Every structure is written in structure tokens, then in C-alpha cells.
Amino acid sequence: MPETLPTAAVRVTVNGKPCERQVEPRQLLVEFIREELRLTGTHIGCDTSFCGACTVLLDGAPVKSCTLLAVQADGAELTTVEALEQDGQVHPLQQAFSEQHGLQCGYCTPGMFMSSLALLAEHPEPSPQDIRKALSGNLCRCTGYQNIIKSVQTAATLLRQEG
Amino acid sequence: MDMQFSGEFSVARSKEEVFAMLADPQQFAPLLPGYHSMEMKDARTAKIRARVGIGRIGGLATTELSLVEAQAPHRARYTGRGKLMQGVYRMHTAFDLHDTTDGGARISWQGKAELTGKILSLAGGGIRGYAEKQITRLIASLETALSSAPEPEPAAPGGWLGRALYGLSDVSATEARIEPQVAPTPDLQAQRAAANQRIQALLEAPRAQVKPARREDERLIKGKGLFVDDYSPAGLLHLSVLRAPYAHARIVNIDVSKAQALPGVACTLTGKEIMELTDPFIQIGAGATQQITDYALATDKVIYQGDPVVAVVAESVAIAEDALQLVDVEYEPLEVVLDAEDALTDRVALHEETGTNTIFSGVYEYGDLEQAFADAAHIVKIDRLEFHRFGSTALEPSACVATWDPRGEIDLFANTIMTVPLAFLAPALRVRMDQIRLRTHDIGGSFGNKITNYPYLTLCCLASRKMNGAPVKWIETRTGQMLTGGHGSERIYLDTEVALDRNGVITGLRSKHIDDIGAYPRYEPLGSVIWSQVLPATYKLRNIRIDFNQVVTNKGPSAPNRGYSRLPHIWFMERVVDICGHELGIPADQMRLNNYIGEFPYETPNGCVYDSGDLPAMLAKAKELVGWDAWQKKQAEARGEGRLLGIGIGTTLDSGTNNWGQARYVNPQAPFSGNSTAATVKLDLDGTVVVSLGTFPQGQGHETTAAQVVGKVLGLPPELVQVKTGFDSLNDSHTGQSGTYASQFVVTGLSAAHGAALKLKAELTKLACFGLDAAAEDLEFGVGDMGPQVSVRGTEQALNYWMLANFINSNSASLPDELRDLSLHARHVYMPPFKVPDVEKKIGNLTLTYALQLHICVIEVNPDTFQTKILDYAIVDDCGTVINPMIVEGQVHGAAAHGIGAALLEEIAYDREGNAISGSFTDYAPITINAMPELKCANRQSPSPFTFHGAKGMGEGGGGPLHSVCAALQDALHGQDLIIRHSHNSPMVMFDRFAGGTEKGVTVESR
């Protein structure tokens, strides 16, 4: 068995639910989310903050969870892709990405959702330029981005109609 | 990478005093930045432990520092060497001492550092800044140490700079200091709370029960996909790989004892053990290539930077990675071969057992070249063109979880993409193929690259067996992926000669091509023939000679990459057409109209049959989309203002559904020909229609389109057809050629599913005839009140699928004998009507379908910086009958992004020692949303006469933007008499090539 490494307490609210775990101080936030909380919708694509597949919202702001330690999130509210679906029904953002074919393999999609959500919270009617700026840290290797831009625009329309 | 630094500073101490200190390793060593501890090896050599790293990433590294020259009191010189972060470095530092007029000493110093290994790619462009900072710190601490008392304002510039930039007064104190976390200010807290509230409000938007546009979306948009890393069975162990820091080196010794002793480490694997436990992977190539011994780990030497040397298996990834740092490997560096022409000389042979670097060498010659050149009105000669190394870098890296249970059954959950790797894996592991259950679920992209991840799958299987059946997971790191996980090969085109008639019609072409496939051939020998599927590209010339060669070099092993092997060839043909057009003054569109193939089906000089299309119509459509005439006007205006604006056309082919018989051009003994793909359609016990495919989808929507096709046969809406996700060898829905590759699913996969659905329908018809006491021609398939059913036309009589399934599965006693051979489990193997090609003449139909794409790019180039901006972009695609327009358009967009990225941003680059200098996304620069222009797309449909539905495979896309972007750049720069000879044209490389003027390398002889 490995030597017992010192651990630190991390208390966070994840998708509205309070969670507490003892973790190694070196544990990354994305590992905490995937391994400790078993929320595997958040993906790891590059280990170096480039691709944005691991993007989650930390106190409402999009962060790349491969670049934060879990202990740095102590006390924060986290939002992940799993917050979007409720009782089998999907959020307008999810609906829009499917309708506009804004995903193919789906690996980048949860990160795209989180960055888009942060954008739409600030800009309910984003221009294509606003969308490009907000998603410039999210890589997609399948779609060529064109349908992602359309998806976010469609989501904005759906949200305005429903709001 | 080499770095050199120098400088000087003065101190108020005598030369002798300064020398005494500098020439004493025990006094000098503690001044090194990050100094931790030391021990003296002998009087002149110290082993120093120092903290190194960039930002907060780092660790302790050992340096051996030797005083190699001491001329009292004038000169002291040190050399140092050590390793850090899977890299090695050497440094040389010399100090020359001079008297100053005020009795002090002036110290002039020179430093040189050489770095090799992964450290370079990890640190990327930051390494030079880091080294500068370290040297400034060293000099600053030297000054501090040499000053008798700390001076508040030291006179020497080095020290002043050090303090100003880094706030250094005491290095050791700096090392120990950790900045306390700053608590958020009340303002920030309020901002965060407000942001959170806005998010919460958005999350409260009303949900809806929505039918997703694709089957796959149902789980993927919810974050409920199952990618390999999401699968973590109990007792899971993790495997990490130690990779070679050298591009070419002999392994002198490997010591894993310290790694094995680390608590939490389960076991290690080295090349020696692999040689005992496995057989070398089979080789596809012929002749000497068959002698290559390729194992899952390097054995006697490493032949590219990143070559796996040791695997460590541990209870967590973190422990495994820690343990890798404790492995000691001693290497003896060897000379590297990085250039394809150099490799061809066999000056240094990578695979010593073969004595040659050549994997394939052959001539593809058709028509009458001599006559074509004798009759030519113009002969254009192009000395050299180069197609660069890049990869599609799927966002999900390669991965697997292997479980080799003690009973001998292997469960392999992986993201491989065809069954061919099973043919590599099973013999290497010395098991029967039925012992391996290979399965996939969701795959986060592949684009061909994941075909060659089988060495790592092999490692995980062995590790699991060694650990008595514990599941072992391997997730490739992004750096590992960039070093070795899927480079598209490079190709150079030498001494090209083009014969043209008076109208610019190309009548003959001869050229020598060399493919550089990196270290191991693996799948690549097939790349020596696959390009010839598109031998004349979209042009009607009949006289062609290509002298084709393929070599290994000390670079990462290449693998199929979107557009595999055909893309580099079409790029070459498109460059030829554009260069000839520009040299002869024929506009790009006219040049194409003069040369395009006219009537389809068209048989190429090497026997391939292009099935359908209308190239002039596609060109006209694309010109209309982009606004060709308007851009011509704008171009004229821009040129008047001295701006560089270019318009380029790229016409491309996506050949799909291989005739594997072409492998025999490479190896006449290869037991391959034709193509086969299986699918099953069954009625489950409750009457559910269940489809299993032999494919490994990675985002192409196979579940969606298979449900469409099967549903259509049975008269059901697609939502009443279940399609199993991913591949599972237990489904028995595969053949040896099943997989997701070579733009073929729409033909092979859907034909197999279609065939199986027809077989099931035939069985259901027989059962319904019996059950309903009706004639077959009176039956109708559809959906009734009780779900899917077969009914008697015009009556209320019907049997639903549960009742029909029940006849076979639970209620067979009532069946007549003649119906007792039914199974309601239909399996169909689709085999296209291929013949074995003529290996001697290299003639045969090599692919079944040819989708076409035509791209037009408008680009502007900054004349000073060579930065580019795409101003407009249009694509017309023709992939025959379209089964699902949304999915087809998605593939067109995706392939366009890969092409634009490769043409302008992405390159897998090596320095002259074979160090990979694009080892992370930061250095590789995959295309982001900001670099993508808005694409104007249109579609034409010329149904293929060779497929049941008229559709053609189109996923790879043919790399249209590489052709159109290079053509547009050529058009922009041609006024300056520059030729685009490279497929990669980032601002940096264009600046290097063009800013100082360049040799054009093109000549024209006209008669």
C-alpha cells in the first residue's frame, strides 16, 4: 500500500449539492470531479489548459479544471454538464447543439456547454464575434466550429423565447 | 536545442579571491539557482541536487558538475550534465577574470546549454526565457557572494537586472517562499455571487422532452457518453509509459529497482520482458521489411524521441508517473536520420536487422511518357515540393482498459478503430483471436490515427496478466499523443517534369516521391499504394510515371491520418496544375477546365473507376457561391494598392471503400483482396429490432444512419430500430476488414446492415405467411397498434414483432418443419464486386467510390509579416445520394477545418537532433474557432452507379483546403515571382522562406 499522503478537506457545492472529500493536495480539480465525484461528463483532452474539454463553472466563471487544484476550489460552487439535464429533459443549450449538429464525437461538448453558458449569462444576444471570443479556449476537432456558432445562437434564441 | 549566453560584471574583490571561489566546486555549486544539496564525487566533480521547473511545475534534478579547466587566477570552466523531466541537458560555463583599474576584478562569462528530450516540448517556447532567468539568477548570486557586504545598489548591470526583474537578494530564501493565497476582496466576492446568480437563472430555463437530431446525441449532450477513461472497474491499475529522450540511441542499461520499490507500484515492464512474453508485431511490407522486429517496448535501442522504453503499473496515475521518474536508463546516443533523402542512402540504418531504411520502392508507370514529352509544347520543371507532417489530434487520446483473467480470456475496452489491430495483437500476445473480446463505446475522434495504438493495448494486456487479471488502464497523455500517437506522414516530390500542349493541357508527368513515415512502418507500407487510388487526381492526363519510395526516419511513427496517402498526392497534382497555370499565364479556373476529366464513369490509367460527377458544374457552383467575379475585381484593386490578395481553387477526391488487393503491390504475398464488412439485424425475444455493426464510430453518426436504412427496409421509423453503440467482437458482426476507415461506412457498413435487414425481412415474411395464412405478396410491413408488425394488406389481420419472435424463441412446437431453420438473427457480409488487381502492371480498381469536393479560398497575405487572413471560403461537395444531409455537412466542415489548420497553423516539427518541438497543443497550434472562416457550402448529388443507395463515402474530405489555400497563396504571391512549394504556410515559415527572397525552383521550356 502507498504511504499515507497528507490530505486536505475540500468542501464544494456541485450542481447544487454540497460535497466534502479528503483529497491529496496535488489532486487536480478535474480529477476530483471525475474520480472522487464520478461526474465523468467533464473530459480531459490535453492536460495543459489548451483544449477546454475540462471546462466547468467555478462560482459562475468558466475555468479549465485541469489547471486548478481541487483544494483551490474549496468553498466554491461548481457547475458541470450534469447540471443541464433535469428529469430526462434537456436544457435549451443541449437542444440547440443537437438540432444544429454542434457536436460529432461529443468529447468537447461538455466544455463547450460550460463556456457557452457563461457567455449567455453575460450576453443574452451574442454576436458570432462574441461567441468566437467566448469559445476561443475550447477546441473541437470534429465540427469545424461553424455549427457550434449556430448552436449557441439557437440556444440564445430559445432561452429568450422561454425567458 | 542550443542556447548561448554571455556577459560580464565587476566586483570589489581581487582576481585571486574571485578565482579561489569560482574554482572551488564546493563554493561555486551552492550558488546555482534552486540549489538543494550536494556531494563531492572527487575534488573537481560535484553531484548537485537542485530544484528546477517552470512555474509551479518542477522537481529536484541531479546535475553532475565538473571543473574542467582552472588557470589561476585567470580562468575557470565547468561542464555540467543531468536529466530533468524526461530530458537531458549539458551545460558549459567559463569565467575569464581581468583586473580593473580600482583593484577589483572584472568577470566576463560565457554559458552554453544544450537540451534534448521532452523537456523542450513541455516548456515550448518558454525554455529560452527560463534558461535566461536561471543564468541571470546564477550571476546575481555570484555577485552577492563575491561582495564582501550586501550592497543596496550594486554597480554591475547583471546584478541590478537580476534584482529588478526577480527581486532577488537571497536565492535560497526566494526558493523557500510560497506566496500566501490572497483572499477574495468583498468586491470580487460580490461579482462572483452575481455571476453565479446569472448562471443559476439560466439553469432554471424550462426543459423540454426533445427528440435529438442524432441517436448518439441522446447520451452525448447529457455528458453520459462512455469514453474509455469513464470506465473504471473495481481494482483498476494504471499504466504509464517512460519515453525515450533521444531520437536515436542504444539502451545501455535500464534500472527499474527504485521504481518498483515505490509504494503503490504494482509492476514494471521493460523491453527485455516484452521480448520473452510476446512475439514481434507482424509486418505488412515485403522483403527486408519482414525482418523488422517491432515490439511494444524498445528493446536494444530507441529510434525516435518518445519511443516507449519502460511501462510502470501502479495504483494511481500519479504514483505511476512518480515511479517513472525513478527509472534510470543509460543511453548511448547515435547519429540521427531525419531527412527522407538522407534516409534513402542508408548511411545510418534505423532497423539494423534489415540494413536499409527503405520500406518500399517501386515505379508506377502508365502510358507513353517519351512520346508525351517529345510532343510537348511546354515542359515545366519543378525541382522540389514538400508535404509536411501533421496530425488530426483527436481530442480524446488513445486509451484502453485491459483485463486478462486467469482463465485466459482478455477483455479489451479500447478506442481502436478497426479489426486489423486484432491481427497484430493476437499473434504478438500468442493467443487465439477468440480469446480477445474487443469492444468500444464512445470514441472521441480518431481520423485514422488510432489504428496504430495496438502496442499500448499489448502492454496493458501483459500488465493485467502479470497482475493476475487486475484491470489495467492506459490513457495516453497529450504529449505522448503528440510524440507518437498519429502523425500523418511527410512526402517530398523531386524533379517533377510536366509536359503540356499549347492550350495548357497536361499530357505527361514524371516525378520521384519519397514518403517519410517515421520510425516504425506498422500500417504505413499500405500508404505506398493507397495514393495511387487517385493517380491522376481529377485530371485527364494518361501518361504518368511516379517513382515512389517510402523510408523510415528517427521521427514519430506515422499512421493513417484523414485523407491518408491520397491527400498528399492530390495536393501534389493541384500544385502542379497551379504552378503550370501561373508559369504559362493561364488562369486557375481555365487551367482546370482544360484538364478536368469529362465523362463519368471514368477509368484512370491505372484501372481505377471514378464513378460519377460533373467537375465543370461544381466549379461553376463554387464560383457562384464565393462571388468569383466580384473577388477578381477586388483582387485587381488590391494589387493596385500593393496588397497581396489571392484566389485559389482546390479540387479533390475522397476515394472510399478500399480494394485490399492493392496491398499486394506492396507485398505480393499479402493475403488480402476485395473488402468485406458485416452487420447483424435480429429480433430480440420481445420483438425489438436490434442492429449490430462492424464499425467503430467516432462521431460520424453510424447509429443514426443505420437506423434510417434498416427502418426503411422494414417499414419502420428509425426510432423503432435499436443500434448497438460501438463495436463488440462478441456481436459477431465483424470481418477482418471491418472498421471505420477509408471513407467507407456509408457503402460497406450500410450495405451490410441493408443486406442483413433484407435477410431478416425474408425470414419474417416466411413466418408471417405461416402465421397469417397469407401469400407473401399480400403482406405489408409497418407499424400498428401493437408496434412493428406484418399485416395482410387491406385487412385487420396482423402479427406484431413480439408474436413473430416468439414463434422462434419460445413457441416453436407449433412451427412446421420447413420453418425450423429460421433464426431471426440475420448476418450479412457485404463484399463489393472487386477483382484482384494486376500486381505486375499495377492496374486494377482500387476503390469503389469517389466523392468529389471543390474548394475556393480567398486569402490576403500581409507583405511584411506574412500573416494571412481568409476572406472568403466556398465548398461544393458531391458524395452521390445523401443519406443524412446534416451529417454530411458536418463532415465537410470538419474536414475543411483540418485542412485549413494544416495549411496555415499546424505542423509536427523536429529540430536537427530529432527533438519533437511540437509536443503540446500550445506548440502545435490546432485550429481554434477564431481561425475558422465562415464556410459557404453547397451540395450536388451524382448518384454512384456502384452502391445500392447511390451514396459515396465522404468522411475524409480529401483535404480540399490544403489545395485551395496553397493555390490562393500562390496566386497572392505570384506577382512577386514566388512559388508555394510547401503544404505548410504559417506566417513564421513563410517569413523565413520568402522574406530574404527565395529560389523559385521552377523552369519552363517552350517550343
Side-chain angles (χ1 to χ4, degrees):
Chain A
M1 285 299 291
E3 288 171 44
T4 313
L5 292 164
T7 59
V10 174
R11 292 170 209 86
V12 286
T13 304
V14 182
N15 303 332
K17 282 187 206 151
C19 304
E20 181 173 348
R21 295 283 191 286
Q22 286 288 327
V23 303
E24 278 186 29
R26 67 175 171 179
Q27 186 172 55
L28 298 172
L29 180 57
V30 70
E31 294 166 350
F32 177 80
I33 291 168
R34 289 180 52 83
E35 308 299 331
E36 300 287 336
L37 306 179
R38 294 303 302 159
L39 294 171
T40 55
T42 302
H43 300 144
I44 303 172
C46 74
D47 319 312
T48 53
S49 292
F50 192 97
C51 79
C54 66
T55 306
V56 300
L57 299 178
L58 186 142
D59 287 336
V63 296
K64 292 181 175 175
S65 61
C66 76
T67 309
L68 282 169
L69 296 167
V71 292
Q72 288 175 287
D74 187 34
E77 277 197 47
L78 295 173
T79 307
T80 69
V81 63
E82 286 85 357
L84 292 174
E85 179 202 0
Q86 284 175 5
D87 305 322
Q89 299 197 314
V90 298
H91 188 268
L93 193 57
Q94 294 169 304
Q95 180 186 344
F97 268 70
S98 180
E99 267 176 21
Q100 297 294 351
H101 198 30
L103 70 152
Q104 289 181 25
C105 79
Y107 202 76
C108 74
T109 313
M112 289 285 176
F113 283 160
M114 291 301 112
S115 295
S116 302
L117 208 56
L119 166 73
L120 293 170
E122 302 292 327
H123 299 277
E125 293 182 55
S127 67
Q129 205 45 46
D130 293 333
I131 297 170
R132 284 174 184 267
K133 195 174 160 193
L135 299 183
S136 59
N138 289 77
L139 210 57
C140 170
R141 293 304 264 167
C142 294
T143 65
Y145 304 105
Q146 187 141 323
N147 287 344
I148 290 179
I149 295 172
K150 274 205 247 170
S151 302
V152 179
Q153 286 174 313
T154 302
T157 307
L158 288 171
L159 282 164
R160 286 201 304 276
Q161 284 165 357
E162 286 161 2
Chain B
M1 178 187 264
D2 289 353
M3 287 174 287
Q4 296 196 19
F5 305 95
S6 60
E8 60 176 42
F9 61 96
S10 300
V11 292
R13 299 271 284 266
S14 74
K15 248 170 80 171
E16 285 72 17
E17 283 176 289
V18 172
F19 179 82
M21 183 179 164
L22 285 176
D24 177 3
Q26 298 208 54
Q27 287 191 59
F28 177 68
L31 302 174
L32 289 171
Y35 172 80
H36 180 269
S37 58
M38 69 182 283
E39 56 176 292
M40 294 302 291
K41 206 171 158 189
D42 55 47
R44 287 188 157 213
T45 305
K47 270 189 125 165
I48 298 154
R49 304 265 285 163
R51 186 170 297 282
V52 292
I54 292 177
R56 291 190 179 187
I57 305 164
L60 283 176
T62 303
T63 298
E64 200 169 278
L65 185 75
S66 301
L67 179 68
V68 289
E69 192 181 344
Q71 294 178 35
H74 309 295
R75 182 172 168 83
R77 188 160 69 84
Y78 285 92
T79 62
R81 64 194 175 94
K83 61 170 193 172
L84 74 159
M85 294 156 84
Q86 295 191 31
V88 290
Y89 66 92
R90 291 170 197 276
M91 61 97 150
H92 311 266
T93 317
F95 299 93
D96 288 301
L97 312 181
H98 312 276
D99 290 319
T100 59
T101 48
D102 55 6
R106 181 166 57 81
I107 299 144
S108 68
W109 56 271
Q110 291 178 325
K112 188 178 164 198
E114 296 164 12
L115 284 126
T116 306
K118 189 170 146 188
I119 175 73
L120 290 174
S121 46
L122 280 176
I127 196 77
R128 181 172 293 277
Y130 175 70
E132 271 175 25
K133 186 173 159 180
Q134 295 297 88
I135 286 181
T136 310
R137 289 168 70 176
L138 170 64
I139 299 303
S141 47
L142 253 180
E143 285 188 67
T144 309
L146 288 166
S147 307
S148 34
E151 291 177 28
E153 275 191 342
W160 172 82
L161 194 66
R163 283 168 179 78
L165 289 178
Y166 308 113
L168 298 179
S169 53
D170 172 13
V171 171
S172 56
T174 309
E175 289 303 319
R177 193 169 62 225
I178 294 172
E179 294 296 334
Q181 289 275 342
V182 180
T185 61
D187 268 1
L188 192 58
Q189 274 174 343
Q191 277 173 25
R192 285 184 179 180
N196 229 342
Q197 268 177 9
R198 284 193 291 274
I199 295 291
Q200 291 314 315
L202 269 188
L203 286 175
E204 280 158 23
R207 290 344 190 234
Q209 195 80 48
V210 178
K211 187 186 146 203
R214 293 186 313 165
R215 278 301 171 79
E216 297 79 356
D217 294 353
E218 175 73 32
R219 56 183 185 277
L220 294 175
I221 58 173
K222 295 173 182 168
K224 288 181 175 169
L226 181 66
F227 297 93
V228 174
D229 199 14
D230 303 338
Y231 175 61
S232 296
L236 185 65
L237 296 172
H238 302 264
L239 182 140
S240 290
V241 175
L242 183 71
R243 297 182 178 282
Y246 290 100
H248 197 190
R250 203 165 299 288
I251 300 172
V252 178
N253 188 44
I254 298 177
D255 180 357
V256 291
S257 57
K258 278 182 268 177
Q260 283 176 339
L262 187 75
V265 168
C267 69
T268 60
L269 289 166
T270 62
K272 202 176 156 195
E273 205 173 342
I274 295 294
M275 284 173 79
E276 286 163 15
L277 296 174
T278 66
D279 289 327
F281 294 120
I282 55 164
Q283 296 294 325
I284 291 175
T289 309
Q290 282 293 320
Q291 307 308 314
I292 290 175
T293 49
D294 179 10
Y295 286 100
L297 290 174
T299 53
D300 57 334
K301 55 176 202 170
V302 295
I303 56 172
Y304 70 96
Q305 189 183 77
D307 211 349
V309 178
V310 174
V312 172
V313 182
E315 288 168 11
S316 72
V317 179
I319 295 171
E321 293 286 333
D322 283 348
L324 290 182
Q325 301 298 318
L326 300 175
V327 174
D328 279 321
V329 185
E330 197 182 328
Y331 296 99
E332 179 192 316
L334 299 168
E335 216 175 333
V336 296
V337 179
L338 299 163
D339 174 84
E341 285 175 277
D342 185 21
L344 212 51
T345 67
D346 293 332
R347 181 180 59 80
V348 175
L350 267 64
H351 298 280
E352 289 163 8
E353 58 275 28
T354 71
T356 178
N357 296 317
T358 299
I359 300 300
F360 175 85
S361 183
V363 175
Y364 291 74
E365 183 167 349
Y366 308 93
D368 188 343
L369 272 298
E370 276 187 33
Q371 195 63 47
F373 279 86
D375 294 345
H378 310 282
I379 296 176
V380 177
K381 295 184 179 175
I382 309 164
D383 67 352
R384 187 184 178 94
L385 296 166
E386 292 184 21
F387 192 88
H388 73 298
R389 180 175 279 248
F390 60 91
S392 294
T393 65
L395 214 47
E396 180 203 28
S398 278
C400 75
V401 177
T403 311
W404 189 329
D405 75 27
R407 292 158 298 283
E409 298 284 319
I410 301 170
D411 180 72
L412 189 55
F413 184 62
N415 57 16
T416 188
I417 60 161
M418 63 195 294
T419 51
V420 168
L422 270 178
F424 285 84
L425 202 61
L429 290 172
R430 301 170 184 157
V431 299
R432 300 183 315 274
M433 225 174 260
D434 75 282
Q435 283 175 267
I436 305 175
R437 177 187 181 189
L438 175 66
R439 58 197 177 100
T440 70
H441 205 271
D442 291 303
I443 297 179
S446 165
F447 316 105
N449 298 168
K450 285 171 178 162
I451 287 177
T452 52
N453 60 20
Y454 58 84
Y456 304 93
L457 276 45
T458 308
L459 282 180
C460 285
C461 291
L462 290 175
S464 174
R465 185 170 73 173
K466 197 168 173 179
M467 298 318 297
N468 302 316
V472 175
K473 181 187 274 189
W474 166 72
I475 306 291
E476 182 176 50
T477 61
R478 179 54 57 185
T479 303
Q481 199 277 331
M482 295 307 302
L483 289 173
T484 176
H487 301 178
S489 62
E490 293 155 76
R491 193 171 293 174
I492 55 173
Y493 316 82
L494 304 174
D495 306 324
T496 301
E497 295 184 346
V498 193
L500 301 102
D501 74 7
R502 216 160 297 286
N503 302 316
V505 175
I506 297 173
T507 53
L509 173 70
R510 51 191 176 208
S511 184
K512 178 180 179 180
H513 299 179
I514 313 176
D515 236 14
D516 169 356
I517 58 168
Y520 292 97
R522 294 181 184 159
Y523 197 86
E524 280 291 350
L526 297 175
S528 300
V529 58
I530 284 176
W531 63 272
S532 71
Q533 296 168 2
V534 293
L535 176 80
T538 49
Y539 304 106
K540 61 189 176 190
L541 81 160
R542 306 294 303 178
N543 307 306
I544 308 177
R545 178 193 158 104
I546 307 288
D547 175 357
F548 198 92
N549 303 273
Q550 192 178 63
V551 294
V552 287
T553 59
N554 292 119
K555 293 183 245 181
S558 60
N561 185 52
R562 197 174 204 166
Y564 181 46
S565 190
R566 300 93 93 205
L567 163 54
H569 184 70
I570 300 173
W571 179 82
F572 162 76
M573 294 298 290
E574 289 292 280
R575 295 306 320 115
V576 165
V577 167
D578 272 305
I579 291 169
C580 290
H582 268 125
E583 293 298 304
L584 301 178
I586 303 170
D589 52 343
Q590 192 57 49
M591 192 65 191
R592 283 176 172 76
L593 290 171
N594 292 353
N595 282 283
Y596 274 150
I597 289 163
E599 293 286 307
F600 291 84
Y602 175 81
E603 187 171 333
T604 66
N606 60 333
C608 293
V609 182
Y610 291 180
D611 44 355
S612 59
D614 184 341
L615 290 160
M618 288 178 77
L619 179 59
K621 181 74 194 167
K623 284 167 80 168
E624 181 195 324
L625 265 185
V626 84
W628 179 270
D629 295 339
W631 277 116
Q632 294 273 323
K633 270 188 209 151
K634 284 182 203 163
Q635 184 181 39
E637 287 164 20
R639 284 186 173 161
E641 296 161 11
R643 285 159 53 216
L644 303 176
L645 194 148
I647 308 168
I649 299 168
T651 318
T652 200
L653 286 158
D654 190 353
S655 49
T657 305
N658 286 343
N659 176 356
W660 279 75
Q662 64 199 282
R664 300 188 191 193
Y665 292 5
V666 175
N667 182 349
Q669 267 76 52
F672 310 133
S673 72
N675 195 319
S676 70
T677 293
T680 63
V681 182
K682 68 172 181 183
L683 283 201
D684 215 321
L685 302 185
D686 59 358
T688 306
V689 180
V690 182
V691 182
S692 297
L693 301 170
T695 61
F696 302 67
Q698 315 125 27
Q700 300 92 335
H702 292 180
E703 291 166 53
T704 303
T705 46
Q708 283 179 253
V709 165
V710 172
K712 197 171 170 193
V713 171
L714 298 173
L716 303 177
E719 52 269 28
L720 290 177
V721 177
Q722 301 308 312
V723 184
K724 302 311 281 183
T725 298
F727 176 90
D728 189 336
S729 55
L730 289 190
N731 286 340
D732 287 330
S733 55
H734 65 285
T735 66
Q737 289 160 343
S738 288
T740 298
Y741 62 95
S743 286
Q744 65 166 21
F745 174 74
V746 77
V747 176
T748 57
L750 290 185
S751 296
H754 182 252
L758 287 174
K759 285 180 179 171
L760 180 72
K761 188 177 183 182
E763 291 200 0
L764 289 173
T765 303
K766 285 185 185 173
L767 275 178
C769 286
F770 160 74
L772 294 167
D773 198 15
E777 54 272 24
D778 295 330
L779 296 180
E780 210 168 43
F781 281 74
V783 185
D785 295 340
M786 296 179 298
Q789 66 175 24
V790 185
S791 58
V792 182
R793 194 174 290 111
T795 72
E796 299 278 296
Q797 292 176 57
L799 286 172
N800 74 0
Y801 279 15
W802 172 77
M803 295 166 183
L804 291 166
N806 208 40
F807 274 131
I808 299 298
N809 295 307
S810 313
N811 193 17
S812 59
S814 60
L815 282 181
D817 286 349
E818 64 269 24
L819 294 183
R820 291 188 183 208
D821 62 346
L822 302 183
S823 67
L824 297 185
H825 191 151
R827 182 174 192 269
H828 183 69
V829 179
Y830 168 70
M831 291 173 254
F834 284 129
K835 301 269 187 295
V836 178
D838 181 334
V839 175
E840 286 299 309
K841 295 180 180 160
K842 295 193 177 72
I843 289 180
N845 192 15
L846 307 185
T847 27
L848 191 70
T849 63
Y850 287 83
L852 291 160
Q853 282 190 14
L854 201 141
H855 292 229
I856 296 181
C857 172
V858 183
I859 204 163
E860 181 159 3
V861 184
N862 180 309
D864 299 317
T865 63
F866 291 93
Q867 280 180 305
T868 51
K869 186 173 167 57
I870 293 178
L871 304 177
D872 215 337
Y873 205 97
I875 306 172
V876 177
D877 82 289
D878 184 345
C879 57
T881 307
V882 173
I883 307 292
N884 186 312
M886 183 186 83
I887 290 175
V888 164
E889 197 191 47
Q891 292 294 317
V892 171
H893 290 174
H898 281 193
I900 293 171
L904 295 173
L905 296 158
E906 304 174 23
E907 182 183 22
I908 292 168
Y910 286 86
D911 73 4
R912 61 194 157 83
E913 282 101 30
N915 291 302
I917 53 176
S918 47
S920 73
F921 272 164
T922 314
D923 305 295
Y924 180 68
I927 190 164
T928 68
I929 197 166
N930 283 328
M932 264 311 280
E934 193 182 332
L935 307 171
K936 297 172 175 169
C937 297
N939 173 266
R940 285 183 52 84
Q941 298 192 23
S942 313
S944 172
F946 306 141
T947 60
F948 81 94
H949 41 26
K952 313 182 195 186
M954 54 75 63
E956 299 192 50
L962 279 144
H963 322 323
S964 66
V965 168
C966 290
L969 290 171
Q970 170 81 66
D971 191 41
L973 297 172
H974 192 258
Q976 310 197 341
D977 220 22
L978 297 175
I979 292 289
I980 296 294
R981 297 198 287 170
H982 299 78
S983 56
H984 182 57
N985 294 282
S986 68
M988 198 166 72
V989 298
M990 280 204 286
F991 185 88
D992 286 346
R993 275 183 222 139
F994 298 142
T998 181
E999 260 190 54
K1000 197 171 154 193
V1002 176
T1003 58
V1004 183
E1005 293 168 16
S1006 294
R1007 296 172 192 149

